[in-house]
Amino acid sequence: MARNRLDKEDGPEKHMGLLQLVQMLSLLVIFVAGIIIGIASSPHINRYFDSLKQFTFTNNIASPKISDDNCTILRTCEKVDCLSMERFVHPDNLTHSMTDDEVLWRASMLPYKKGYPFDRVPKVAFMFLTRGSLPLLPLWERFFRGHAEYFSIYVHTPEDYEFNVSTDSPFYGRKIPSKDVEWGSISMVDAEKRLLANALLDFSNERFVLLSESCIPIYKFSIVYKYLIRSEHSFVESYDAPTRYARGRYNHKMLPDIHQYQWRKGSQWFEIQRNLAVYIVSDTKFHAIFKKYCRPACYPDEHYIPTYLNMFHGPLNANRTVTWVDWSVVAPHPATYYGIDITKGFIQSIRNKGEQCSYNSEMTSVCYLFARKFAPSTLVPLLNLTSTFVEELRYHFYSTLRVHLGKLWLWLLKSYEL
């Protein structure tokens, strides 16, 4: 009986001890949880994990480094949306790492969907194939001034040539990845196709004109632009002549792919529309034939494009060039003009040769837009001549305005008398 009373008396104390133990364990769990939450929310530990994550990713991505005596700082590259429509249709960086095959492949893409999903202002691509510098650069800069949205510039130089111009020049940053060119070889055609391919990457380019460092414009930009953009045809000289300099350069080993009656010759300095440019950069079959069988005294740059267009796209070609050149002297190269030759009458004579040519199925006296070959000494006379032309145009405008105002004044006087 005594034991039972003792058990009854110890029961409440035992329950109180268990309750205190549970409370202590609960407090301990809450305390530990608080410590864990505090550590997890600490800005220092966040920075630690962020830096750890950044370190993990920057080990896989090349990042520029800035080093000093005490530390190395990793700077992440600026995020660029390489697949944006703007960068796709208007590449802003001509310094790419694509091979010739890669850029020709990209340029050969021809969209079949009609229209453009962006506001397209058709541009003229001016492609300069040079042996180095552009001695007539200031003349071209004046020609392009004020028309930035209507043209693109592409410059092909020898591979290691440093093409340096001022940052405010329209030629700044416009050199494409280039290779050395050997006169009279297939490398000349390769350079032309390289220029076309890079220019085709900009989907706003509609017309493509090939120029050299000795070329000059003989009309102002607005006239040249309208003439080319509104033309229904391309301008590639392509003719057949029974001479050793034309038909005589044909190689019968080109059979059965190219027959003699299809063989053509023409000036290297062409102007073509976009669709034809795509066809030319896409061709590999006939380029390989010319590379193998058209060697000096056969010159591929005078035969490849004229023959190719004659065979497949003749109706799209005007069969003439828009770049005037003087072949009156019998020599391997055309005549070169110097500073002493530059006069107003000389330029006018190039503009109007007293001949007619076809333009959109009609006859016109405006047959040439450019001319060559002009030596560096012609720069200053040409710039002075351009200024004179501008002053004459201004004088003509004000003279015409005065005449019309005079007629209006006389009409008002007569009306008042009546």
Side-chain angles (χ1 to χ4, degrees):
M1 295 296 291
R3 178 180 292 181
N4 290 338
R5 285 199 299 269
L6 183 60
D7 290 340
K8 288 180 180 178
E9 290 175 359
D10 292 342
E13 295 178 0
K14 182 177 181 180
H15 287 298
M16 289 295 295
L18 289 173
L19 180 61
Q20 291 177 355
L21 179 62
V22 170
Q23 289 177 343
M24 291 179 62
L25 289 174
S26 300
L27 290 174
L28 180 61
V29 170
I30 293 172
F31 178 75
V32 172
I35 292 176
I36 294 173
I37 294 173
I39 293 175
S41 61
S42 171
H44 298 287
I45 198 70
N46 283 340
R47 282 198 295 269
Y48 169 76
F49 283 113
D50 287 343
S51 63
L52 182 62
K53 180 172 62 175
Q54 183 178 6
F55 176 77
T56 303
F57 282 104
T58 52
N59 273 339
N60 297 323
I61 301 175
S63 301
K65 297 182 178 180
I66 303 176
S67 301
D68 57 22
D69 295 335
N70 300 319
C71 64
T72 298
I73 302 174
L74 294 177
R75 178 181 295 168
T76 57
C77 296
E78 180 183 356
K79 183 178 180 180
V80 176
D81 184 2
C82 297
L83 295 180
S84 69
M85 177 60 72
E86 180 62 26
R87 291 181 64 86
F88 179 72
V89 299
H90 302 302
D92 56 359
N93 187 1
L94 300 186
T95 309
H96 55 75
S97 59
M98 288 186 287
T99 65
D100 280 353
D101 286 339
E102 289 170 340
V103 72
L104 289 169
W105 179 79
R106 272 201 58 182
S108 68
M109 297 179 182
L110 184 64
Y112 284 93
K113 182 177 174 61
K114 293 184 178 180
Y116 294 88
F118 60 95
D119 294 331
R120 183 178 188 263
V121 177
K123 297 189 294 187
V124 177
F126 292 84
M127 307 180 303
F128 291 83
L129 178 56
T130 78
R131 292 173 293 183
S133 64
L134 286 171
L136 303 178
L137 180 69
L139 180 68
W140 283 104
E141 290 175 333
R142 178 180 292 184
F143 171 77
F144 289 124
R145 189 179 302 154
H147 306 284
E149 61 181 316
Y150 301 108
F151 70 87
S152 301
I153 295 175
Y154 302 86
V155 181
H156 187 292
T157 70
E159 186 171 5
D160 296 328
Y161 181 79
E162 293 292 334
F163 185 70
N164 295 319
V165 295
S166 62
T167 56
D168 60 346
S169 170
F171 287 82
Y172 179 76
R174 304 309 298 177
K175 177 186 174 181
I176 69 168
S178 307
K179 293 185 178 180
D180 292 338
V181 173
E182 181 182 354
W183 182 81
S185 72
I186 195 67
S187 63
M188 189 77 76
V189 172
D190 294 339
E192 295 172 2
K193 297 182 76 168
R194 197 174 295 121
L195 279 164
L196 283 173
N198 281 272
L200 280 167
L201 298 183
D202 188 331
F203 280 80
S204 290
N205 288 331
E206 184 61 30
R207 310 291 301 206
F208 304 78
V209 56
L210 182 68
L211 301 160
S212 74
E213 71 273 12
S214 65
C215 287
I216 65 167
I218 58 175
Y219 287 100
K220 62 181 181 179
F221 182 89
S222 59
I223 293 177
V224 172
Y225 177 83
K226 291 176 182 178
Y227 192 98
L228 296 179
I229 291 295
R230 295 175 180 177
S231 174
E232 299 171 358
H233 300 87
S234 296
F235 299 97
V236 179
E237 190 176 51
S238 178
Y239 64 89
D240 177 31
T243 66
R244 66 188 182 96
Y245 300 109
R247 200 180 300 172
R249 293 176 177 174
Y250 171 75
N251 190 332
H252 288 277
K253 293 181 180 179
M254 295 181 175
L255 287 170
D257 298 297
I258 303 175
H259 295 265
Q260 189 175 49
Y261 71 87
Q262 298 170 315
W263 183 256
R264 292 293 184 272
K265 182 184 177 180
S267 170
Q268 173 189 8
W269 311 105
F270 60 77
E271 192 284 332
I272 57 177
Q273 61 201 51
R274 185 174 184 88
N275 284 354
L276 290 188
V278 173
Y279 295 143
I280 290 171
V281 300
S282 303
D283 170 62
T284 56
K285 176 180 178 180
F286 294 93
H287 176 271
I289 294 173
F290 272 83
K291 183 178 181 178
K292 187 174 182 179
Y293 297 117
C294 184
R295 299 181 178 182
C298 175
Y299 302 104
D301 56 290
E302 296 181 359
H303 296 279
Y304 169 68
I305 293 180
T307 300
Y308 181 78
L309 293 187
N310 174 63
M311 292 176 64
F312 301 106
H313 308 287
L316 300 177
N317 185 25
N319 288 329
R320 65 179 178 89
T321 179
V322 287
T323 301
W324 178 83
V325 66
D326 183 4
W327 282 105
S328 61
V329 179
V330 180
H333 303 283
T336 299
Y337 291 94
Y338 300 92
I340 194 173
D341 301 311
I342 305 304
T343 63
K344 176 184 175 182
F346 174 65
I347 300 299
Q348 291 287 15
S349 69
I350 298 175
R351 288 180 173 181
N352 186 2
K353 301 296 293 180
E355 59 188 50
Q356 296 282 308
C357 57
S358 177
Y359 179 81
N360 290 349
S361 302
E362 296 182 357
M363 301 308 293
T364 178
S365 61
V366 180
C367 300
Y368 301 105
L369 305 176
F370 313 99
R372 61 185 304 268
K373 299 173 61 176
F374 289 81
S377 61
T378 62
L379 175 61
V380 173
L382 285 169
L383 288 174
N384 293 336
L385 199 59
T386 304
S387 300
T388 302
F389 279 158
V390 171
E391 292 300 324
E392 289 179 351
L393 287 172
R394 187 180 291 113
Y395 174 78
H396 177 72
F397 170 77
Y398 285 118
S399 298
T400 304
L401 181 62
R402 284 196 297 269
V403 171
H404 287 297
L405 288 175
K407 291 181 179 179
L408 178 61
W409 176 249
L410 290 175
W411 180 80
L412 289 172
L413 289 175
K414 290 181 180 180
S415 299
Y416 177 77
E417 292 175 356
L418 291 176

